[in-house]
Amino acid sequence: MKHLERDLAKLSDHISELSGLVVDACERASVMLTSFDRVLASEILEREEQINEMEVEIEEECLKVLALHQPVAADLRFVILVLKVNNDLERIGDQVVNIAERVNFLADKDRVVSDVDLPRMGEIAARMVQNSVQSMVFRDSSVAREVLSMDDDLDALHAQCYDNMKAVMMAQPTIVPPAVSYLTISSNLERIGDLATNIAEEVIFMEEGEVIRHQES
């Protein structure tokens, strides 16, 4: 095996490993939003350092491949994809950590009664991340396009959450602090969806050469 092929295979393995950690964190967050389980929140917070360290290592590997091998064509596109996805995955991890911190705050407080469905939002966000990663690993632009359509559903639920929490806070000013945390979680989930969409868009570009970002929906 050539040195470039070996290093690209190593890079692929490492981005897949990081993807697995982030997908697992998102799935835990989805469950956590049903139970408000502080144990799950602690597990997510403990995993943050590992995700951050892997993100740095993968970036260094990408730069090493670019400097030593000066890849072109498909190999170059793959390294650039990994660089971008690596950053998006770390940022998804940050959003999950934010959710865990909000759950720790809400765990011993009364639930806010409203039509907000945070568990449903968590399920969609986790599936978007899982599918975007799958599309990258298998270089499947059709799966990537499914992620784009799911983002519309998540955005709609986030808008509904905003309207519902606004109404609840106006009617019951005493529950503003927990209601704001609900809104923060909704925003974090919506952001996870955006980052998963970024990954999907990069896969589509790599496989089809089509630039999706900034297009009108």
Side-chain angles (χ1 to χ4, degrees):
M1 181 182 291
K2 297 179 181 178
H3 292 307
L4 174 58
E5 292 176 355
R6 180 200 61 203
D7 288 347
L8 290 176
K10 180 180 176 183
L11 196 56
S12 180
D13 289 343
H14 286 177
I15 195 67
S16 295
E17 183 180 353
L18 176 59
S19 298
L21 291 175
V22 173
V23 167
D24 179 70
C26 289
E27 290 174 346
R28 288 172 188 264
S30 178
V31 174
M32 183 176 62
L33 291 174
T34 300
S35 62
F36 281 69
D37 187 341
R38 277 180 164 160
V39 173
L40 282 174
S42 297
E43 291 173 355
I44 289 170
L45 294 172
E46 289 171 2
R47 190 70 63 87
E48 180 188 18
E49 184 176 352
Q50 184 180 3
I51 290 174
N52 290 342
E53 288 176 353
M54 284 201 67
E55 188 262 343
V56 172
E57 290 173 3
I58 291 170
E59 181 176 313
E60 290 176 348
E61 286 181 24
C62 286
L63 297 176
K64 178 182 176 182
V65 169
L66 291 172
L68 292 181
H69 304 297
Q70 299 180 348
V72 296
D75 291 337
L76 176 59
R77 290 197 299 273
F78 176 71
V79 175
I80 292 173
L81 172 71
V82 171
L83 269 172
K84 292 182 177 181
V85 170
N86 184 47
N87 181 253
D88 285 335
L89 288 171
E90 191 274 334
R91 291 163 70 191
I92 289 171
D94 286 343
Q95 297 299 316
V96 174
V97 165
N98 291 341
I99 293 170
E101 290 173 344
R102 289 300 87 210
V103 165
N104 275 333
F105 171 76
L106 291 167
D108 58 359
K109 294 177 173 56
D110 293 336
R111 301 290 183 265
V112 176
V113 179
S114 74
D115 292 330
V116 173
D117 195 348
L118 290 180
R120 174 63 178 156
M121 292 182 69
E123 290 174 4
I124 294 174
R127 195 160 69 251
M128 288 178 70
V129 174
Q130 184 176 38
N131 285 8
S132 67
V133 165
Q134 180 183 341
S135 74
M136 177 193 65
V137 172
F138 295 102
R139 303 192 179 192
D140 189 338
S141 58
S142 64
V143 175
R145 289 186 181 277
E146 292 175 8
V147 175
L148 305 187
S149 63
M150 293 166 66
D151 192 46
D152 293 335
D153 296 334
L154 190 58
D155 287 344
L157 286 169
H158 176 54
Q160 180 184 350
C161 177
Y162 178 84
D163 291 340
N164 288 345
M165 285 297 100
K166 180 180 177 182
V168 166
M169 287 187 284
M170 291 179 66
Q172 305 176 58
T174 56
I175 66 166
V176 167
V180 168
S181 286
Y182 275 57
L183 268 177
T184 300
I185 291 172
S186 179
S187 295
N188 293 144
L189 292 169
E190 191 268 342
R191 185 59 183 146
I192 288 173
D194 287 344
L195 292 165
T197 298
N198 287 350
I199 295 172
E201 289 173 344
E202 294 298 337
V203 171
I204 292 169
F205 175 71
M206 184 178 74
E207 294 303 310
E208 301 180 7
E210 181 181 357
V211 178
I212 302 293
R213 192 167 299 174
H214 307 310
Q215 288 186 8
E216 293 291 334
S217 58

